Amino acid sequence: MRTYFFDTEFTGLRKDTTLISIGIVSDTGDRFYAELTDYDEGMCDEWIEKNVLDHLVLSGNAELEESLAADNKTTTVIGSKADVCCELMKWLEMDANFDSDYAAVFVSDVSHYDMVLLIDLLAGNAMTLPEFITPACHDINQDIATMLDISEKAAFDISREQLLTDRGIDLPKGQKHNALYDAEVIKAIYEDFFSVGGGKTGR
């Protein structure tokens, strides 16, 4: 089994939303990052333009472009939805290695849109996903609620960066609302919670 921590950025909380970018980090530390060139920019409001689009390589984020180019553990793709689908499937299949017992499990944070967009990207619908991909997504918002003994609504309102800082964990490099950065945050929280003694409130 391989666990993949992922985040997506998209054009808004609406049923016809389109994918802007996706970041994935495997439990081995290998990373995949993609920006789509054919999302519907007309659907983006001012908040998305400022907090998401401005952080993209496509928008001229030289710092991100340089860091990705220097990182030999990250596969970077900038292209159409079809291009990203093709490259992501190749990346995932490298781990699958056609082992009939292999399973890819995805983990995200408040994952309702993320998983739908991932499935749409890879296969169009869950029924046509490759057999090695688990169609259900593990959601760390529920883990946060359980570990801290709070409601899921209260867990939703907690800053993920503050949660890591309070638990003595260094934040990953990058910018909030960049999909790859957010995937690293998700991975850090999950691994802390599910490490030996991970339920503690400090280190």
Side-chain angles (χ1 to χ4, degrees), residues 59-71:
S59 299
N61 188 331
E63 181 180 349
L64 175 61
E65 185 174 13
E66 290 172 6
S67 69
L68 290 170
D71 182 2

Side-chain angles (χ1 to χ4, degrees), residues 43-64:
M43 296 171 65
C44 299
D45 60 22
E46 184 177 348
W47 189 95
I48 293 173
E49 290 175 2
K50 180 179 179 180
N51 292 280
V52 176
L53 302 190
D54 284 356
H55 294 169
L56 299 176
V57 171
L58 284 168
S59 299
N61 188 331
E63 181 180 349
L64 175 61

Side-chain angles (χ1 to χ4, degrees), residues 119-202:
I119 290 172
D120 178 67
L121 173 65
L122 291 175
N125 65 78
M127 299 300 292
T128 54
L129 277 173
E131 288 189 8
F132 72 88
I133 295 178
T134 305
C137 183
H138 184 96
D139 194 328
I140 65 160
N141 190 69
Q142 296 172 342
D143 296 332
I144 294 169
T146 299
M147 291 293 187
L148 302 184
D149 194 24
I150 58 178
S151 69
E152 290 189 31
K153 172 62 170 66
F156 176 83
D157 292 333
I158 289 176
S159 163
R160 289 0 186 188
E161 287 78 10
Q162 190 63 51
L163 177 63
L164 288 174
T165 299
D166 289 347
R167 297 172 73 84
I169 301 171
D170 293 335
L171 297 178
K173 294 180 181 179
Q175 298 171 312
K176 186 176 177 65
H177 301 306
N178 172 270
L180 190 58
Y181 169 84
D182 288 347
E184 289 280 12
V185 169
I186 292 165
K187 180 176 184 283
I189 293 171
Y190 180 94
E191 291 184 340
D192 179 60
F193 280 169
F194 291 99
S195 64
V196 176
K200 57 194 176 186
T201 57

